[in-house]
Amino acid sequence: MSADAAALEPAVDAADPRSGDDGFVFDAGAFACVAAGRDLTGYACRFRSDGYRDDLFAAYAIAWPSQLDRAVVKRRSDYLAGRICARRALVALGLGAVDVPIGPDREPVWPAGVIASISHAGDRAVCLASADPQVVGLGIDIEGRLPPGMAADIRNEVVDAAESAAIEAHFADPVQGLATVFSAKESLFKALFPQVGEFFGFEAMRIAGLQPGRIEFAATQTLAATVREGDRFAVDYLLDGEDVRTVACVLRRD
């Protein structure tokens, strides 16, 4: 990711009395990010699934969704950590403590006037948000090292032969490069979903250019009136050890 979007590893937020280690959430803090020339507001944390309890929802004043009634502990802890980040990011935007329910396609339902995105991987969760009227799509994704055997499965599903060759040529570690492109397409899907309104596959976006910290994609098909075949979208990325973080910020087109 370009230097403007590199602050995705926040320091503990001393202004937040719950930013220390409470047994579930730790290393929590707000961060600022710039993508597509726009200031964005974020909040990130680390969390322990083995420190999760159902009563933490009430402790954090997060509404329990019925979709979690049959979910395993890992899913419940991922959801809670993500919603904690979302609530604190929205507070930082000045919206107060509001709930972010689950929509019909399992997407977060944001307050009117807000564009935002949540991601979690391993013991990390993050939310990025904006109330800028020029921002019509926002996506963030975090990924760790691809487990053994998963790279081949992802390669067959996420990229075509030309994209795979571009990854091999651009990244010193092709497995991490594949994870980066996978993450970037996930971020772009999140950013475009509000305009498209339905699921679309990885093949709908193809690598059109690779630069240090940035991937440009071209739409291979028309998905909406504002997302047409040939349209290009940039996604910023940051490599941090074996982890990758990607941000897609889509602006209104006049």
Side-chain angles (χ1 to χ4, degrees):
M1 190 170 303
S2 55
D4 12 64
L8 290 177
E9 192 66 41
V12 169
D13 183 358
D16 187 337
R18 294 182 297 177
S19 62
D21 190 339
D22 68 359
F24 177 61
V25 166
F26 63 106
D27 286 352
F31 64 92
C33 171
V34 177
R38 300 289 164 168
D39 293 326
L40 308 172
T41 298
Y43 200 97
C45 74
R46 297 179 67 189
F47 63 99
R48 299 183 182 88
S49 291
D50 59 6
Y52 169 82
R53 309 182 312 274
D54 286 347
D55 62 10
L56 287 174
F57 273 79
Y60 282 102
I62 304 293
W64 175 278
S66 61
Q67 292 90 336
L68 291 187
D69 287 348
R70 304 174 71 118
V72 299
V73 167
K74 176 58 175 165
R75 166 62 179 147
R76 294 180 181 188
S77 63
D78 286 352
Y79 180 93
L80 178 59
R83 283 323 195 262
I84 290 170
C85 290
R87 171 166 290 217
R88 295 182 183 180
L90 295 180
V91 167
L93 278 180
L95 298 179
V98 297
D99 271 325
V100 180
I102 302 175
D105 293 307
R106 299 181 62 188
E107 80 282 13
V109 179
W110 302 101
V114 172
I115 298 291
S117 179
I118 299 171
S119 184
H120 38 69
D123 68 346
R124 297 176 183 271
V126 63
C127 176
L128 197 60
S130 174
D132 185 335
Q134 293 304 308
V135 176
V136 296
L138 192 58
I140 187 167
D141 188 73
I142 53 178
E143 300 289 341
R145 182 75 178 181
L146 293 177
M150 183 178 285
D153 293 338
I154 286 181
R155 181 177 290 107
N156 292 335
E157 182 179 355
V158 174
V159 297
D160 61 21
E163 290 177 300
S164 184
I167 290 169
E168 294 274 349
H170 181 76
F171 290 94
D173 180 348
V175 173
Q176 188 175 47
L178 179 61
T180 302
V181 172
F182 168 70
S183 178
K185 289 193 177 188
E186 286 284 327
S187 285
L188 191 53
F189 172 85
K190 295 176 183 179
L192 294 177
F193 185 81
Q195 298 176 65
V196 176
E198 61 184 14
F199 289 97
F200 55 90
F202 292 108
E203 73 283 353
M205 293 290 158
R206 180 174 294 132
I207 295 173
L210 282 165
Q211 307 169 33
R214 178 163 293 179
I215 304 174
E216 187 171 313
F217 293 96
T220 63
Q221 55 191 271
T222 295
L223 300 172
T226 54
V227 185
R228 305 191 64 80
E229 182 178 355
D231 284 351
R232 296 202 171 199
F233 303 92
V235 180
D236 292 321
Y237 70 86
L238 171 69
L239 302 180
D240 180 16
E242 294 191 334
D243 295 335
V244 60
R245 297 157 180 79
T246 60
V247 172
C249 182
V250 180
L251 302 183
R252 187 179 309 281
R253 298 187 179 188
D254 297 327

